[in-house]
Amino acid sequence: MKEMEQMILSEGTVLPGGILKVGSFLNQQIDSVFLRSIGEEIARLYKDAGVNKILTIESSGIAIAAACGIVTGWPVVFAKKHKTSNVDGEVYATNVHSFTHNTDYTCVVSKDYLKSGDTVLLIDDFLASGNALNGLIDLVDQAGAKLAGVAVTIEKKFQGGGDSLREKGVRVESLAMIESMEGDGITFCR
Amino acid sequence: MKEMEQMILSEGTVLPGGILKVGSFLNQQIDSVFLRSIGEEIARLYKDAGVNKILTIESSGIAIAAACGIVTGWPVVFAKKHKTSNVDGEVYATNVHSFTHNTDYTCVVSKDYLKSGDTVLLIDDFLASGNALNGLIDLVDQAGAKLAGVAVTIEKKFQGGGDSLREKGVRVESLAMIESMEGDGITFCR
């Protein structure tokens, strides 16, 4: 998605430690007109995949998932992050390690909202190491649901998470795919 | 909004301690078609209020704010919750007490995304004691921005937060206003 690359180049900032800051248009502050375009693009990519549910994870995936939901009508479910692993039997739960914050958390979704008959599209803002998405895939597996694929706004390809998912046979669609970030320079995959 | 009352009556569950569970359509799982209607209704209510920015708080306000943003084009900013009060000088921060979880947290927004020229609409899912919204109003005040008003999907009027805001002169629009919840019975204000 050309528009996403242009937004990253004009608005994004590379911070030390390989962090790409896109707070001015994608998380923290959201450009709503652009958000709608993102929802439409993801809807276009997955229109023939039999999706009946979107699954995302709080917090920064929610607006993107909601945009796709509003365009398609597909209900959105969001998994919650818990510090503790004490969760009751009414939920599916999985452990996720966050590289960004160097902490573990438990990712939880109610059994009421993820079922064996569902065909699920996973949506998130970033795909880097892929830990959060692997956690969501585990939740989909636990529910016995079918995975349609993954859609993310920005993939940092050099961190390997996307390719690791593709090697497992997961369909991964990234609206912008970053090959490298060095200093202020951002190079996209071609 | 009649549709909201009908959804609460058909899908909502009253839990012990005065908790209204609406996870099947409003938080955790979101009915995307209904979400769009919510966005349109809030947009209609505030169309002449000069709003140029929506402010909400993670996590369950985000989808509602995004829906209103997509309908109107108004950018959405979401305040983040931090456990600690150690925040740097680049943010506005305020302390909020959560009755639901009986904890305090710091509510934070970057100074880059809230400015003195802004006219801000606050959006959240629930209005009960009003603590979260009072925190957001404090952030708007710190930025020297103008407050257009508040829009929430569900106000639990018997908890007093909405009336307390109205007494201060804040415009409060609630898509459903609950007068009382007793056992399974939910009564709306007329």
Side-chain angles (χ1 to χ4, degrees), chain A residues 23-24 28-30 32 36 53 58-59 62-63 66-67 69-70 73-78 80 109-110 113, chain B residues 23-24 28-30 32 35-36 53 58-59 62-63 66-67 69-70 73-78 80 109-110 113:
Chain A
S24 69
Q28 182 114 56
Q29 179 167 265
I30 301 159
S32 299
R36 192 188 168 93
K53 195 165 280 181
E58 62 182 2
S59 289
I62 297 176
I70 284 173
W74 300 331
V76 173
V77 174
F78 64 91
K80 303 194 177 198
V109 71
S110 167
Y113 309 136
Chain B
S24 69
Q28 182 115 57
Q29 179 167 266
I30 300 158
S32 298
L35 181 66
R36 191 187 169 95
K53 195 164 279 182
E58 61 182 5
S59 290
I62 296 175
I70 284 173
W74 301 331
V76 173
V77 174
F78 65 91
K80 301 193 178 199
V109 71
S110 167
Y113 309 136

mmCIF file of all heavy atoms in Angstrom, chain A residues 23-24 28-30 32 36 53 58-59 62-63 66-67 69-70 73-78 80 109-110 113, chain B residues 23-24 28-30 32 35-36 53 58-59 62-63 66-67 69-70 73-78 80 109-110 113:
data_model
loop_
_atom_site.group_PDB
_atom_site.id
_atom_site.type_symbol
_atom_site.label_atom_id
_atom_site.label_comp_id
_atom_site.label_asym_id
_atom_site.label_seq_id
_atom_site.Cartn_x
_atom_site.Cartn_y
_atom_site.Cartn_z
ATOM 1 N N GLY A 23 3.362 7.242 16.104
ATOM 2 C CA GLY A 23 2.321 7.709 17.021
ATOM 3 C C GLY A 23 1.473 8.835 16.483
ATOM 4 O O GLY A 23 0.356 9.046 16.945
ATOM 5 N N SER A 24 1.957 9.547 15.469
ATOM 6 C CA SER A 24 1.200 10.705 15.000
ATOM 7 C C SER A 24 0.045 10.326 14.077
ATOM 8 O O SER A 24 -0.868 11.113 13.871
ATOM 9 C CB SER A 24 2.120 11.676 14.272
ATOM 10 O OG SER A 24 2.558 11.122 13.058
ATOM 11 N N GLN A 28 -1.587 5.925 19.270
ATOM 12 C CA GLN A 28 -1.726 7.137 20.111
ATOM 13 C C GLN A 28 -2.578 8.192 19.393
ATOM 14 O O GLN A 28 -3.674 8.446 19.819
ATOM 15 C CB GLN A 28 -0.389 7.722 20.566
ATOM 16 C CG GLN A 28 -0.577 8.943 21.465
ATOM 17 C CD GLN A 28 -0.136 8.785 22.879
ATOM 18 O OE1 GLN A 28 0.989 8.460 23.143
ATOM 19 N NE2 GLN A 28 -1.025 9.037 23.833
ATOM 20 N N GLN A 29 -2.093 8.789 18.292
ATOM 21 C CA GLN A 29 -2.992 9.617 17.476
ATOM 22 C C GLN A 29 -3.268 8.868 16.172
ATOM 23 O O GLN A 29 -2.346 8.343 15.551
ATOM 24 C CB GLN A 29 -2.383 10.979 17.177
ATOM 25 C CG GLN A 29 -3.268 11.854 16.305
ATOM 26 C CD GLN A 29 -2.824 13.309 16.265
ATOM 27 O OE1 GLN A 29 -3.302 14.142 17.002
ATOM 28 N NE2 GLN A 29 -1.886 13.611 15.392
ATOM 29 N N ILE A 30 -4.529 8.844 15.773
ATOM 30 C CA ILE A 30 -4.918 8.089 14.584
ATOM 31 C C ILE A 30 -5.532 9.032 13.555
ATOM 32 O O ILE A 30 -6.484 9.750 13.859
ATOM 33 C CB ILE A 30 -5.936 6.985 14.954
ATOM 34 C CG1 ILE A 30 -5.314 6.026 15.981
ATOM 35 C CG2 ILE A 30 -6.382 6.222 13.721
ATOM 36 C CD1 ILE A 30 -6.330 5.252 16.777
ATOM 37 N N SER A 32 -7.959 9.492 11.027
ATOM 38 C CA SER A 32 -9.181 8.716 10.802
ATOM 39 C C SER A 32 -9.487 8.487 9.332
ATOM 40 O O SER A 32 -10.085 7.469 8.970
ATOM 41 C CB SER A 32 -10.375 9.414 11.458
ATOM 42 O OG SER A 32 -10.187 9.518 12.841
ATOM 43 N N ARG A 36 -9.620 4.690 7.661
ATOM 44 C CA ARG A 36 -10.663 4.105 6.812
ATOM 45 C C ARG A 36 -10.045 3.419 5.591
ATOM 46 O O ARG A 36 -10.448 2.315 5.219
ATOM 47 C CB ARG A 36 -11.656 5.192 6.374
ATOM 48 C CG ARG A 36 -12.863 4.585 5.756
ATOM 49 C CD ARG A 36 -13.844 5.508 5.114
ATOM 50 N NE ARG A 36 -14.737 4.638 4.376
ATOM 51 C CZ ARG A 36 -15.878 4.154 4.851
ATOM 52 N NH1 ARG A 36 -16.314 4.485 6.021
ATOM 53 N NH2 ARG A 36 -16.611 3.315 4.140
ATOM 54 N N LYS A 53 -14.882 -13.358 11.305
ATOM 55 C CA LYS A 53 -14.522 -12.718 12.571
ATOM 56 C C LYS A 53 -13.105 -12.169 12.496
ATOM 57 O O LYS A 53 -12.229 -12.777 11.899
ATOM 58 C CB LYS A 53 -14.620 -13.745 13.710
ATOM 59 C CG LYS A 53 -14.612 -13.142 15.087
ATOM 60 C CD LYS A 53 -15.085 -14.148 16.130
ATOM 61 C CE LYS A 53 -16.609 -14.271 16.166
ATOM 62 N NZ LYS A 53 -17.097 -15.208 17.181
ATOM 63 N N GLU A 58 -5.368 -5.899 22.408
ATOM 64 C CA GLU A 58 -5.311 -4.517 22.880
ATOM 65 C C GLU A 58 -3.860 -4.053 22.958
ATOM 66 O O GLU A 58 -2.971 -4.869 23.165
ATOM 67 C CB GLU A 58 -6.014 -4.379 24.248
ATOM 68 C CG GLU A 58 -5.375 -5.191 25.344
ATOM 69 C CD GLU A 58 -6.133 -5.079 26.676
ATOM 70 O OE1 GLU A 58 -7.163 -4.413 26.763
ATOM 71 O OE2 GLU A 58 -5.652 -5.696 27.633
ATOM 72 N N SER A 59 -3.563 -2.742 22.817
ATOM 73 C CA SER A 59 -4.524 -1.692 22.519
ATOM 74 C C SER A 59 -4.412 -1.232 21.076
ATOM 75 O O SER A 59 -5.406 -0.884 20.455
ATOM 76 C CB SER A 59 -4.260 -0.465 23.392
ATOM 77 O OG SER A 59 -4.590 -0.679 24.710
ATOM 78 N N ILE A 62 -6.698 -2.321 18.002
ATOM 79 C CA ILE A 62 -8.163 -2.220 18.055
ATOM 80 C C ILE A 62 -8.730 -1.274 16.987
ATOM 81 O O ILE A 62 -9.693 -1.605 16.296
ATOM 82 C CB ILE A 62 -8.636 -1.769 19.458
ATOM 83 C CG1 ILE A 62 -8.253 -2.825 20.508
ATOM 84 C CG2 ILE A 62 -10.144 -1.553 19.461
ATOM 85 C CD1 ILE A 62 -8.586 -2.430 21.945
ATOM 86 N N ALA A 63 -8.129 -0.098 16.836
ATOM 87 C CA ALA A 63 -8.681 0.866 15.874
ATOM 88 C C ALA A 63 -8.608 0.308 14.452
ATOM 89 O O ALA A 63 -9.550 0.477 13.661
ATOM 90 C CB ALA A 63 -7.929 2.193 15.965
ATOM 91 N N ALA A 66 -11.213 -2.340 14.091
ATOM 92 C CA ALA A 66 -12.538 -1.708 14.036
ATOM 93 C C ALA A 66 -12.794 -1.108 12.656
ATOM 94 O O ALA A 66 -13.905 -1.203 12.122
ATOM 95 C CB ALA A 66 -12.660 -0.629 15.115
ATOM 96 N N ALA A 67 -11.754 -0.516 12.060
ATOM 97 C CA ALA A 67 -11.902 0.067 10.718
ATOM 98 C C ALA A 67 -12.263 -1.014 9.710
ATOM 99 O O ALA A 67 -13.167 -0.836 8.876
ATOM 100 C CB ALA A 67 -10.616 0.770 10.304
ATOM 101 N N GLY A 69 -13.631 -3.854 10.428
ATOM 102 C CA GLY A 69 -14.973 -4.314 10.806
ATOM 103 C C GLY A 69 -16.060 -3.412 10.253
ATOM 104 O O GLY A 69 -17.079 -3.878 9.727
ATOM 105 N N ILE A 70 -15.854 -2.109 10.346
ATOM 106 C CA ILE A 70 -16.859 -1.156 9.873
ATOM 107 C C ILE A 70 -17.039 -1.272 8.357
ATOM 108 O O ILE A 70 -18.148 -1.196 7.840
ATOM 109 C CB ILE A 70 -16.476 0.276 10.303
ATOM 110 C CG1 ILE A 70 -16.781 0.434 11.800
ATOM 111 C CG2 ILE A 70 -17.187 1.332 9.470
ATOM 112 C CD1 ILE A 70 -16.310 1.730 12.403
ATOM 113 N N GLY A 73 -18.343 -5.334 8.065
ATOM 114 C CA GLY A 73 -19.399 -5.878 8.917
ATOM 115 C C GLY A 73 -18.949 -7.067 9.755
ATOM 116 O O GLY A 73 -19.720 -7.575 10.567
ATOM 117 N N TRP A 74 -17.714 -7.529 9.579
ATOM 118 C CA TRP A 74 -17.221 -8.656 10.385
ATOM 119 C C TRP A 74 -17.059 -8.217 11.836
ATOM 120 O O TRP A 74 -16.449 -7.176 12.105
ATOM 121 C CB TRP A 74 -15.847 -9.144 9.875
ATOM 122 C CG TRP A 74 -15.846 -9.610 8.460
ATOM 123 C CD1 TRP A 74 -16.888 -10.162 7.776
ATOM 124 C CD2 TRP A 74 -14.742 -9.550 7.532
ATOM 125 N NE1 TRP A 74 -16.503 -10.444 6.473
ATOM 126 C CE2 TRP A 74 -15.201 -10.083 6.309
ATOM 127 C CE3 TRP A 74 -13.417 -9.110 7.612
ATOM 128 C CZ2 TRP A 74 -14.386 -10.192 5.174
ATOM 129 C CZ3 TRP A 74 -12.597 -9.207 6.501
ATOM 130 C CH2 TRP A 74 -13.081 -9.749 5.294
ATOM 131 N N PRO A 75 -17.591 -8.994 12.791
ATOM 132 C CA PRO A 75 -17.405 -8.628 14.195
ATOM 133 C C PRO A 75 -15.930 -8.661 14.599
ATOM 134 O O PRO A 75 -15.146 -9.431 14.036
ATOM 135 C CB PRO A 75 -18.201 -9.679 14.962
ATOM 136 C CG PRO A 75 -18.503 -10.760 14.000
ATOM 137 C CD PRO A 75 -18.401 -10.207 12.621
ATOM 138 N N VAL A 76 -15.582 -7.817 15.536
ATOM 139 C CA VAL A 76 -14.206 -7.702 16.020
ATOM 140 C C VAL A 76 -14.141 -8.231 17.453
ATOM 141 O O VAL A 76 -14.936 -7.829 18.297
ATOM 142 C CB VAL A 76 -13.746 -6.232 16.009
ATOM 143 C CG1 VAL A 76 -12.382 -6.086 16.675
ATOM 144 C CG2 VAL A 76 -13.724 -5.680 14.598
ATOM 145 N N VAL A 77 -13.187 -9.113 17.698
ATOM 146 C CA VAL A 77 -12.935 -9.573 19.065
ATOM 147 C C VAL A 77 -11.538 -9.124 19.446
ATOM 148 O O VAL A 77 -10.619 -9.220 18.637
ATOM 149 C CB VAL A 77 -13.030 -11.110 19.154
ATOM 150 C CG1 VAL A 77 -12.633 -11.608 20.549
ATOM 151 C CG2 VAL A 77 -14.435 -11.574 18.811
ATOM 152 N N PHE A 78 -11.379 -8.568 20.644
ATOM 153 C CA PHE A 78 -10.000 -8.286 21.026
ATOM 154 C C PHE A 78 -9.566 -9.050 22.252
ATOM 155 O O PHE A 78 -10.275 -9.149 23.250
ATOM 156 C CB PHE A 78 -9.671 -6.787 21.111
ATOM 157 C CG PHE A 78 -10.367 -5.961 22.139
ATOM 158 C CD1 PHE A 78 -9.808 -5.790 23.384
ATOM 159 C CD2 PHE A 78 -11.545 -5.313 21.836
ATOM 160 C CE1 PHE A 78 -10.418 -4.981 24.329
ATOM 161 C CE2 PHE A 78 -12.160 -4.511 22.777
ATOM 162 C CZ PHE A 78 -11.604 -4.349 24.020
ATOM 163 N N LYS A 80 -7.281 -9.705 25.498
ATOM 164 C CA LYS A 80 -6.790 -8.802 26.542
ATOM 165 C C LYS A 80 -5.459 -9.292 27.072
ATOM 166 O O LYS A 80 -5.172 -10.491 27.055
ATOM 167 C CB LYS A 80 -7.810 -8.718 27.679
ATOM 168 C CG LYS A 80 -9.176 -8.258 27.178
ATOM 169 C CD LYS A 80 -10.097 -7.847 28.313
ATOM 170 C CE LYS A 80 -11.409 -7.337 27.728
ATOM 171 N NZ LYS A 80 -12.190 -6.548 28.656
ATOM 172 N N VAL A 109 -8.781 -14.550 25.744
ATOM 173 C CA VAL A 109 -10.036 -14.230 25.060
ATOM 174 C C VAL A 109 -11.136 -15.157 25.586
ATOM 175 O O VAL A 109 -10.882 -16.330 25.886
ATOM 176 C CB VAL A 109 -9.888 -14.318 23.516
ATOM 177 C CG1 VAL A 109 -9.733 -15.746 23.049
ATOM 178 C CG2 VAL A 109 -11.035 -13.645 22.805
ATOM 179 N N SER A 110 -12.327 -14.613 25.744
ATOM 180 C CA SER A 110 -13.437 -15.402 26.262
ATOM 181 C C SER A 110 -13.823 -16.511 25.276
ATOM 182 O O SER A 110 -13.870 -16.294 24.066
ATOM 183 C CB SER A 110 -14.644 -14.493 26.498
ATOM 184 O OG SER A 110 -15.803 -15.276 26.700
ATOM 185 N N TYR A 113 -16.513 -15.949 22.556
ATOM 186 C CA TYR A 113 -16.360 -15.110 21.370
ATOM 187 C C TYR A 113 -15.427 -15.694 20.310
ATOM 188 O O TYR A 113 -15.125 -15.037 19.315
ATOM 189 C CB TYR A 113 -15.901 -13.704 21.772
ATOM 190 C CG TYR A 113 -16.756 -13.103 22.860
ATOM 191 C CD1 TYR A 113 -16.198 -12.424 23.938
ATOM 192 C CD2 TYR A 113 -18.148 -13.250 22.818
ATOM 193 C CE1 TYR A 113 -16.999 -11.905 24.951
ATOM 194 C CE2 TYR A 113 -18.948 -12.733 23.827
ATOM 195 C CZ TYR A 113 -18.371 -12.064 24.884
ATOM 196 O OH TYR A 113 -19.161 -11.557 25.880
ATOM 197 N N GLY B 23 -20.056 -7.486 26.897
ATOM 198 C CA GLY B 23 -18.903 -7.996 26.141
ATOM 199 C C GLY B 23 -19.254 -8.612 24.811
ATOM 200 O O GLY B 23 -18.395 -8.722 23.941
ATOM 201 N N SER B 24 -20.511 -8.992 24.608
ATOM 202 C CA SER B 24 -20.841 -9.683 23.360
ATOM 203 C C SER B 24 -21.011 -8.725 22.182
ATOM 204 O O SER B 24 -20.951 -9.140 21.038
ATOM 205 C CB SER B 24 -22.113 -10.508 23.534
ATOM 206 O OG SER B 24 -23.224 -9.649 23.685
ATOM 207 N N GLN B 28 -14.782 -6.327 24.247
ATOM 208 C CA GLN B 28 -14.280 -7.681 23.980
ATOM 209 C C GLN B 28 -14.747 -8.166 22.607
ATOM 210 O O GLN B 28 -13.940 -8.301 21.725
ATOM 211 C CB GLN B 28 -14.635 -8.680 25.081
ATOM 212 C CG GLN B 28 -14.048 -10.066 24.773
ATOM 213 C CD GLN B 28 -13.014 -10.562 25.726
ATOM 214 O OE1 GLN B 28 -13.249 -10.667 26.887
ATOM 215 N NE2 GLN B 28 -11.839 -10.919 25.226
ATOM 216 N N GLN B 29 -16.059 -8.415 22.413
ATOM 217 C CA GLN B 29 -16.539 -8.631 21.037
ATOM 218 C C GLN B 29 -17.352 -7.415 20.615
ATOM 219 O O GLN B 29 -18.170 -6.923 21.392
ATOM 220 C CB GLN B 29 -17.397 -9.887 20.942
ATOM 221 C CG GLN B 29 -17.942 -10.127 19.538
ATOM 222 C CD GLN B 29 -18.527 -11.520 19.365
ATOM 223 O OE1 GLN B 29 -17.879 -12.447 18.930
ATOM 224 N NE2 GLN B 29 -19.792 -11.656 19.728
ATOM 225 N N ILE B 30 -17.113 -6.947 19.401
ATOM 226 C CA ILE B 30 -17.781 -5.727 18.935
ATOM 227 C C ILE B 30 -18.604 -6.040 17.690
ATOM 228 O O ILE B 30 -18.081 -6.572 16.715
ATOM 229 C CB ILE B 30 -16.738 -4.638 18.606
ATOM 230 C CG1 ILE B 30 -15.902 -4.297 19.852
ATOM 231 C CG2 ILE B 30 -17.423 -3.385 18.077
ATOM 232 C CD1 ILE B 30 -14.568 -3.666 19.533
ATOM 233 N N SER B 32 -19.763 -4.950 14.552
ATOM 234 C CA SER B 32 -19.215 -3.872 13.706
ATOM 235 C C SER B 32 -20.283 -3.045 13.004
ATOM 236 O O SER B 32 -20.087 -1.856 12.747
ATOM 237 C CB SER B 32 -18.267 -4.464 12.655
ATOM 238 O OG SER B 32 -17.184 -5.101 13.269
ATOM 239 N N LEU B 35 -21.512 -0.866 15.623
ATOM 240 C CA LEU B 35 -20.446 0.098 15.928
ATOM 241 C C LEU B 35 -20.517 1.295 14.987
ATOM 242 O O LEU B 35 -20.362 2.443 15.398
ATOM 243 C CB LEU B 35 -19.080 -0.590 15.823
ATOM 244 C CG LEU B 35 -17.863 0.282 16.133
ATOM 245 C CD1 LEU B 35 -17.832 0.705 17.594
ATOM 246 C CD2 LEU B 35 -16.561 -0.460 15.786
ATOM 247 N N ARG B 36 -20.759 1.012 13.723
ATOM 248 C CA ARG B 36 -20.872 2.102 12.751
ATOM 249 C C ARG B 36 -22.050 3.024 13.085
ATOM 250 O O ARG B 36 -21.934 4.242 13.016
ATOM 251 C CB ARG B 36 -21.047 1.529 11.331
ATOM 252 C CG ARG B 36 -20.896 2.593 10.312
ATOM 253 C CD ARG B 36 -21.186 2.235 8.889
ATOM 254 N NE ARG B 36 -21.220 3.494 8.192
ATOM 255 C CZ ARG B 36 -20.187 4.026 7.541
ATOM 256 N NH1 ARG B 36 -19.072 3.373 7.433
ATOM 257 N NH2 ARG B 36 -20.298 5.215 7.001
ATOM 258 N N LYS B 53 -10.981 17.093 17.195
ATOM 259 C CA LYS B 53 -10.208 15.962 17.726
ATOM 260 C C LYS B 53 -11.057 15.163 18.714
ATOM 261 O O LYS B 53 -11.829 15.729 19.475
ATOM 262 C CB LYS B 53 -8.953 16.488 18.427
ATOM 263 C CG LYS B 53 -7.910 15.441 18.694
ATOM 264 C CD LYS B 53 -6.556 16.065 19.026
ATOM 265 C CE LYS B 53 -5.792 16.496 17.780
ATOM 266 N NZ LYS B 53 -4.475 17.061 18.059
ATOM 267 N N GLU B 58 -7.549 4.026 26.527
ATOM 268 C CA GLU B 58 -7.497 2.595 26.227
ATOM 269 C C GLU B 58 -8.199 1.804 27.326
ATOM 270 O O GLU B 58 -8.214 2.244 28.449
ATOM 271 C CB GLU B 58 -6.034 2.136 26.055
ATOM 272 C CG GLU B 58 -5.179 2.330 27.279
ATOM 273 C CD GLU B 58 -3.719 1.903 27.050
ATOM 274 O OE1 GLU B 58 -3.333 1.537 25.937
ATOM 275 O OE2 GLU B 58 -2.975 1.941 28.036
ATOM 276 N N SER B 59 -8.730 0.589 27.031
ATOM 277 C CA SER B 59 -8.823 0.010 25.712
ATOM 278 C C SER B 59 -10.226 0.107 25.126
ATOM 279 O O SER B 59 -10.379 0.288 23.923
ATOM 280 C CB SER B 59 -8.493 -1.491 25.774
ATOM 281 O OG SER B 59 -7.150 -1.716 26.027
ATOM 282 N N ILE B 62 -11.556 2.766 22.487
ATOM 283 C CA ILE B 62 -10.872 3.002 21.207
ATOM 284 C C ILE B 62 -11.748 2.692 19.993
ATOM 285 O O ILE B 62 -11.820 3.477 19.046
ATOM 286 C CB ILE B 62 -9.552 2.194 21.136
ATOM 287 C CG1 ILE B 62 -8.573 2.677 22.218
ATOM 288 C CG2 ILE B 62 -8.908 2.350 19.756
ATOM 289 C CD1 ILE B 62 -7.282 1.854 22.294
ATOM 290 N N ALA B 63 -12.433 1.546 20.018
ATOM 291 C CA ALA B 63 -13.237 1.163 18.856
ATOM 292 C C ALA B 63 -14.362 2.173 18.624
ATOM 293 O O ALA B 63 -14.651 2.541 17.473
ATOM 294 C CB ALA B 63 -13.816 -0.236 19.043
ATOM 295 N N ALA B 66 -12.848 5.311 17.239
ATOM 296 C CA ALA B 66 -12.446 5.073 15.847
ATOM 297 C C ALA B 66 -13.661 5.112 14.925
ATOM 298 O O ALA B 66 -13.595 5.654 13.817
ATOM 299 C CB ALA B 66 -11.725 3.729 15.720
ATOM 300 N N ALA B 67 -14.779 4.556 15.383
ATOM 301 C CA ALA B 67 -15.994 4.564 14.569
ATOM 302 C C ALA B 67 -16.452 5.990 14.303
ATOM 303 O O ALA B 67 -16.802 6.352 13.172
ATOM 304 C CB ALA B 67 -17.105 3.777 15.268
ATOM 305 N N GLY B 69 -14.536 8.601 14.429
ATOM 306 C CA GLY B 69 -13.497 9.188 13.584
ATOM 307 C C GLY B 69 -13.689 8.840 12.124
ATOM 308 O O GLY B 69 -13.569 9.696 11.236
ATOM 309 N N ILE B 70 -14.018 7.593 11.844
ATOM 310 C CA ILE B 70 -14.195 7.155 10.457
ATOM 311 C C ILE B 70 -15.393 7.864 9.819
ATOM 312 O O ILE B 70 -15.350 8.254 8.655
ATOM 313 C CB ILE B 70 -14.325 5.614 10.401
ATOM 314 C CG1 ILE B 70 -12.938 5.001 10.598
ATOM 315 C CG2 ILE B 70 -14.968 5.143 9.100
ATOM 316 C CD1 ILE B 70 -12.914 3.499 10.725
ATOM 317 N N GLY B 73 -14.051 11.919 10.087
ATOM 318 C CA GLY B 73 -12.714 12.330 9.690
ATOM 319 C C GLY B 73 -11.924 12.985 10.822
ATOM 320 O O GLY B 73 -10.752 13.316 10.633
ATOM 321 N N TRP B 74 -12.534 13.172 11.992
ATOM 322 C CA TRP B 74 -11.806 13.761 13.118
ATOM 323 C C TRP B 74 -10.735 12.787 13.614
ATOM 324 O O TRP B 74 -11.026 11.608 13.835
ATOM 325 C CB TRP B 74 -12.752 14.071 14.293
ATOM 326 C CG TRP B 74 -13.864 15.012 13.965
ATOM 327 C CD1 TRP B 74 -13.849 16.000 13.017
ATOM 328 C CD2 TRP B 74 -15.171 15.046 14.558
ATOM 329 N NE1 TRP B 74 -15.071 16.649 12.999
ATOM 330 C CE2 TRP B 74 -15.897 16.087 13.930
ATOM 331 C CE3 TRP B 74 -15.803 14.308 15.560
ATOM 332 C CZ2 TRP B 74 -17.214 16.402 14.272
ATOM 333 C CZ3 TRP B 74 -17.116 14.619 15.914
ATOM 334 C CH2 TRP B 74 -17.812 15.652 15.277
ATOM 335 N N PRO B 75 -9.490 13.260 13.784
ATOM 336 C CA PRO B 75 -8.468 12.359 14.306
ATOM 337 C C PRO B 75 -8.797 11.898 15.730
ATOM 338 O O PRO B 75 -9.457 12.604 16.485
ATOM 339 C CB PRO B 75 -7.185 13.197 14.296
ATOM 340 C CG PRO B 75 -7.605 14.604 14.098
ATOM 341 C CD PRO B 75 -8.962 14.598 13.484
ATOM 342 N N VAL B 76 -8.333 10.706 16.046
ATOM 343 C CA VAL B 76 -8.576 10.104 17.357
ATOM 344 C C VAL B 76 -7.261 10.027 18.121
ATOM 345 O O VAL B 76 -6.262 9.539 17.598
ATOM 346 C CB VAL B 76 -9.138 8.664 17.194
ATOM 347 C CG1 VAL B 76 -9.241 7.968 18.552
ATOM 348 C CG2 VAL B 76 -10.487 8.697 16.503
ATOM 349 N N VAL B 77 -7.264 10.513 19.352
ATOM 350 C CA VAL B 77 -6.098 10.352 20.222
ATOM 351 C C VAL B 77 -6.518 9.483 21.390
ATOM 352 O O VAL B 77 -7.616 9.663 21.917
ATOM 353 C CB VAL B 77 -5.615 11.720 20.745
ATOM 354 C CG1 VAL B 77 -4.493 11.553 21.761
ATOM 355 C CG2 VAL B 77 -5.149 12.593 19.585
ATOM 356 N N PHE B 78 -5.696 8.495 21.731
ATOM 357 C CA PHE B 78 -6.064 7.774 22.945
ATOM 358 C C PHE B 78 -5.022 7.910 24.041
ATOM 359 O O PHE B 78 -3.832 7.780 23.818
ATOM 360 C CB PHE B 78 -6.502 6.336 22.691
ATOM 361 C CG PHE B 78 -5.501 5.371 22.143
ATOM 362 C CD1 PHE B 78 -4.714 4.613 23.006
ATOM 363 C CD2 PHE B 78 -5.386 5.165 20.788
ATOM 364 C CE1 PHE B 78 -3.816 3.681 22.510
ATOM 365 C CE2 PHE B 78 -4.488 4.242 20.290
ATOM 366 C CZ PHE B 78 -3.701 3.501 21.141
ATOM 367 N N LYS B 80 -3.129 6.748 27.388
ATOM 368 C CA LYS B 80 -2.680 5.430 27.841
ATOM 369 C C LYS B 80 -2.722 5.357 29.361
ATOM 370 O O LYS B 80 -2.588 6.359 30.050
ATOM 371 C CB LYS B 80 -1.256 5.182 27.344
ATOM 372 C CG LYS B 80 -1.180 5.252 25.818
ATOM 373 C CD LYS B 80 0.124 4.705 25.285
ATOM 374 C CE LYS B 80 0.089 4.755 23.756
ATOM 375 N NZ LYS B 80 1.058 3.872 23.123
ATOM 376 N N VAL B 109 -1.091 11.361 27.995
ATOM 377 C CA VAL B 109 -1.181 11.619 26.558
ATOM 378 C C VAL B 109 -0.005 12.517 26.149
ATOM 379 O O VAL B 109 0.409 13.394 26.911
ATOM 380 C CB VAL B 109 -2.553 12.234 26.180
ATOM 381 C CG1 VAL B 109 -2.686 13.671 26.663
ATOM 382 C CG2 VAL B 109 -2.797 12.171 24.683
ATOM 383 N N SER B 110 0.546 12.253 24.983
ATOM 384 C CA SER B 110 1.680 13.042 24.505
ATOM 385 C C SER B 110 1.274 14.492 24.233
ATOM 386 O O SER B 110 0.200 14.754 23.693
ATOM 387 C CB SER B 110 2.218 12.417 23.210
ATOM 388 O OG SER B 110 3.098 13.317 22.579
ATOM 389 N N TYR B 113 0.031 15.621 20.751
ATOM 390 C CA TYR B 113 -1.256 15.279 20.153
ATOM 391 C C TYR B 113 -2.442 15.983 20.798
ATOM 392 O O TYR B 113 -3.600 15.699 20.470
ATOM 393 C CB TYR B 113 -1.448 13.755 20.169
ATOM 394 C CG TYR B 113 -0.268 13.016 19.596
ATOM 395 C CD1 TYR B 113 0.252 11.875 20.209
ATOM 396 C CD2 TYR B 113 0.361 13.476 18.435
ATOM 397 C CE1 TYR B 113 1.359 11.221 19.680
ATOM 398 C CE2 TYR B 113 1.455 12.829 17.914
ATOM 399 C CZ TYR B 113 1.961 11.708 18.536
ATOM 400 O OH TYR B 113 3.054 11.056 18.016
#
